[in-house]
Amino acid sequence: MTRTTTRLAAAAMVVALGIAGCGPASSGDAPATGAPDDAGWTAFTTRFLDGYFALDPSFAVYQGRHEYDGRLADWSDAGLTAQVEYLTRAIGDARAFDAAALSDAQRFERDYLVHVAEGQLFWLQDADAPHTNLTWYFDNGLDPNVYIARPYADAATRMRAFTAYARAIPAAAAQIKAALRLPLPLSHVDYGIAGFEGLASYYTHEARAAFEGVTDAALRAEFDRASHEAASAMQGMADWLRAERPRATQAFALGADRFARMLQATEAVDVPIDELERVGRADLARNQAALAEACAAYAPGATLQACMATMAAAKPEGGPVAEARRQLPVLRQFVADHDLVSIPGTEEAQVEEAPPYNRQNTAYIDIPGPYERGLPSVYYIAPPDPAWTAAEQAAYVPGVKDLLYTSVHEVWPGHFLNFLHANRARSMFGRVFVGYAFAEGWAHYAEEMMWDAGLDAGQPESHIGQLMNALLRDCRFLSAIGLHARGMTDAESKALFLTECYQDEGNARQQSARGTYDPAYLNYTLGKLLIRRLRDDWSATRGGRQAWKAFHDAFLSYGGPPIPLVRGAMMGSAPAAVF
């Protein structure tokens, strides 16, 4: 899922991990995880999940634990400290287990838990995101779409949940404003203005329209009062940021050392930055060469930019939402016909236009959590920003083949299929925590894998669509390193997207800005390269291409841990990042 975060995503990405909460919290203190000798590992993980959920009810709700509907996390200094203390204690308790007394699966799960907690501690402590990066709040609880988009209960029940959420927003806004350390980076400020104003509009327009069928007059009155107060609080945040905008800075970089610590803490990748940059540039060069070859067949004599523009000019009939709805059944059938990976269950994904508060990426998918049953996933596609010029808006709408590989990424066999497997993992821990590089790496890997498997029968135009997506992720990879470890400016990042990855003006602007507040967006290419190398190494002694389905099924069965952990388990070796 494109994060969202992502951010899933995740991100965003809905795929991005939050400090979550589910289970009654009796006080403001972090729930105790319990001493390791109180019970076995299974009991410990159950206590950990309950405590983890209790610290961030929004994450619990997105996992399907609706006893926490309407609640938000405590983002005060005390609340953030409670999160840090809980995670720190959980790491110590997990490591205190006698490894010899655990099964292989339990030892793997212990390492998985430790990495999740260490990753969260990085963002809370080392990066200090709650005080320096306002996008952290959008990724960790502000999104109310679950109450609108997921029919997990009747409309009146969900309306009550949304009303409770809306009542909590003014206090949450005050906590966010108190926590943020001024001045903020300009790109963060602009994100916040758009995001807070989008939420304000969403509360009183889309949310209101979603519950039009509820006839309970008292409930409707409560909803209207709470949603208007919430909208006022969000508009107040946008106005505050707009007033702060003249003082905004360009001080967004993590710095090289902290960037390296991010990769180690969140993805178990300890490869030196120089080596990572070399790997990224090699993948960029590989994809540029493939693009030149495809363009020579598709548009002989044209420049690469002109070739890409020709492909992008074939716009979807009826718009991208209608085209994506046509594409999904074809892609699912292709996966089944070519026996690429198992498709568990009969679930399908819906396609809708993205809500106004969440249009920082062209597409993303919202997938019900592992505690839900029988609910739809929704693949969202964002329209262009109406503030852009007509030419920029037209360029932003993807070409048919560009969109095809976006649909591969988001649904078949990308994020959606990933989560069909993850939601059926043997370990509940594997179902709940699907990490950024695993989710986005798999979805991006799926694009190239589908081309290699024969999607569109080798048509050059289709290959250009696949490569356009690959180049976008290559520039994310290099921009993340450049922006946060090499002193690259936002303008230089934008130029990279335009000149090296042949993106349009609107996308280049969005992607360079995103890199300033999402330093982990290199995880698309990072994860893809780790998965591809693991596939080749694992399949080499198992029949090569004939073993792809077995590899895919085995890989996806782990849920979503750091990929080096999966490599260690599948190869019978120590965990390692191997490209």
Side-chain angles (χ1 to χ4, degrees):
M1 316 154 309
T2 302
R3 182 184 176 220
T4 79
T5 323
T6 11
R7 244 298 307 1
L8 212 29
M13 187 234 127
V14 175
V15 74
L17 300 180
I19 309 294
C22 176
S26 57
S27 72
D29 295 330
T33 53
D37 55 0
D38 285 348
W41 175 255
T42 299
F44 171 74
T45 58
T46 298
R47 289 196 303 275
F48 173 81
L49 285 171
D50 286 343
Y52 191 90
F53 287 154
L55 288 169
D56 187 348
S58 297
F59 183 76
V61 171
Y62 269 92
Q63 300 308 304
R65 297 291 292 265
H66 293 292
E67 60 267 43
Y68 282 93
D69 278 4
R71 290 177 51 180
L72 292 175
D74 179 0
W75 291 324
S76 68
D77 286 345
L80 295 171
T81 298
Q83 293 179 12
V84 169
E85 291 176 347
Y86 182 82
L87 292 165
T88 302
R89 187 165 64 251
I91 291 170
D93 288 350
R95 286 177 170 159
F97 274 88
D98 179 3
L102 299 177
S103 68
D104 289 346
Q106 289 170 334
R107 283 192 293 272
F108 183 89
E109 193 171 50
R110 180 192 60 182
D111 293 344
Y112 195 163
L113 182 155
V114 167
H115 272 289
V116 167
E118 287 179 338
Q120 291 305 311
L121 285 174
F122 171 82
W123 296 115
L124 286 165
Q125 290 185 296
D126 202 346
D128 198 20
H131 298 107
T132 62
N133 189 338
L134 62 77
T135 70
W136 185 85
Y137 295 97
F138 287 86
D139 293 336
N140 285 277
L142 279 181
D143 185 355
N145 194 53
V146 63
Y147 305 119
I148 306 301
R150 294 188 190 171
Y152 63 86
D154 61 86
T157 298
R158 291 184 289 113
M159 190 177 190
R160 289 187 187 92
F162 185 95
T163 300
Y165 156 86
R167 281 198 293 261
I169 285 295
Q175 289 180 339
I176 295 169
K177 187 175 181 180
L180 289 172
R181 191 176 303 134
L182 301 175
L184 294 170
L186 178 61
S187 55
H188 297 207
V189 171
D190 287 342
Y191 179 106
I193 292 171
F196 288 128
E197 287 188 332
L199 283 170
S201 175
Y202 185 80
Y203 295 158
T204 54
H205 292 84
E206 287 87 349
R208 195 175 196 283
F211 297 123
E212 281 296 334
V214 177
T215 58
D216 185 321
L219 178 56
R220 295 199 63 82
E222 288 180 30
F223 170 86
D224 286 342
R225 182 166 51 252
S227 60
H228 278 91
E229 289 174 358
S232 178
M234 291 291 94
Q235 186 60 53
M237 290 294 290
D239 294 341
W240 170 66
L241 287 174
R242 191 171 280 108
E244 289 291 334
R245 196 174 187 278
R247 297 201 301 136
T249 72
Q250 293 298 327
F252 51 75
L254 290 179
D257 290 345
R258 191 182 294 169
F259 186 81
R261 293 196 299 273
M262 175 194 75
L263 291 172
Q264 172 59 44
T266 61
E267 301 297 346
V269 171
D270 58 3
V271 176
I273 291 176
D274 286 348
E275 175 65 12
L276 280 179
E277 191 167 22
R278 185 196 67 76
V279 166
R281 292 203 175 278
D283 198 59
L284 173 64
R286 179 178 71 93
N287 286 320
Q288 287 175 329
L291 178 64
E293 182 179 350
C295 283
Y298 176 65
T303 65
L304 294 183
Q305 288 89 342
C307 169
M308 298 273 276
T310 300
M311 184 278 296
K315 302 298 184 184
E317 183 179 349
V321 170
E323 178 64 20
R325 288 172 178 162
R326 292 189 289 267
Q327 290 171 347
L328 295 190
V330 175
L331 291 172
R332 188 187 193 282
Q333 194 62 48
F334 182 89
V335 170
D337 289 347
H338 289 75
D339 206 24
L340 296 174
V341 56
S342 296
I343 301 177
T346 59
E347 296 95 324
E348 300 287 350
Q350 300 174 359
V351 188
E352 303 292 346
E353 184 175 285
Y357 69 90
N358 199 0
R359 290 176 175 175
Q360 288 76 31
N361 279 294
T362 53
Y364 61 96
I365 189 166
D366 179 32
I367 301 172
Y371 296 97
E372 304 279 23
R373 292 293 180 269
L375 297 184
S377 294
V378 183
Y379 166 25
Y380 289 105
I381 301 175
D385 189 330
W388 293 348
T389 67
E392 288 173 344
Q393 291 186 52
Y396 183 82
V397 175
V400 171
K401 297 305 181 183
D402 180 7
L403 181 63
L404 177 68
Y405 285 93
T406 301
S407 296
V408 168
H409 182 101
E410 300 297 339
V411 186
W412 298 115
H415 289 313
F416 180 65
L417 183 60
N418 178 182
F419 278 80
L420 290 184
H421 281 264
N423 284 345
R424 291 166 170 82
R426 285 173 292 181
S427 164
M428 180 55 74
F429 204 77
R431 301 177 198 179
V432 171
F433 299 111
V434 179
Y436 199 169
F438 191 104
E440 295 299 354
W442 167 263
H444 186 33
Y445 161 85
E447 299 163 26
E448 186 171 319
M449 184 269 289
M450 288 284 277
W451 167 257
D452 289 342
L455 182 62
D456 267 351
Q459 296 177 19
E461 181 184 9
S462 186
H463 198 193
I464 294 164
Q466 180 259 316
L467 290 166
M468 188 171 186
N469 283 274
L471 288 165
L472 171 67
R473 278 49 175 263
D474 283 329
C475 274
R476 285 179 181 169
F477 187 99
L478 295 171
S479 272
I481 294 172
L483 290 165
H484 292 279
R486 302 292 195 223
M488 177 185 281
T489 66
D490 191 344
E492 289 169 340
S493 172
K494 177 184 171 184
L496 178 70
F497 281 99
L498 288 169
T499 61
E500 294 291 320
C501 298
Y502 319 118
Q503 301 299 306
D504 64 86
E505 179 75 18
N507 253 321
R509 183 187 301 119
Q510 272 193 342
Q511 295 302 320
S512 60
R514 177 179 171 184
T516 68
Y517 50 75
D518 182 11
Y521 81 157
L522 86 165
N523 278 326
Y524 294 77
T525 294
L526 182 82
K528 176 194 74 174
L529 295 176
L530 290 171
I531 294 168
R532 196 175 65 186
R533 176 61 184 269
L534 175 56
R535 179 198 70 192
D536 292 347
D537 291 348
W538 188 89
S539 301
T541 59
R542 294 171 174 82
R545 170 67 180 81
Q546 299 305 311
W548 278 15
K549 181 181 182 182
F551 168 77
H552 294 151
D553 288 353
F555 180 79
L556 294 175
S557 73
Y558 287 89
I563 296 169
L565 269 65
V566 181
R567 180 180 182 87
M570 292 186 68
M571 298 299 294
S573 62
V578 181
F579 296 97

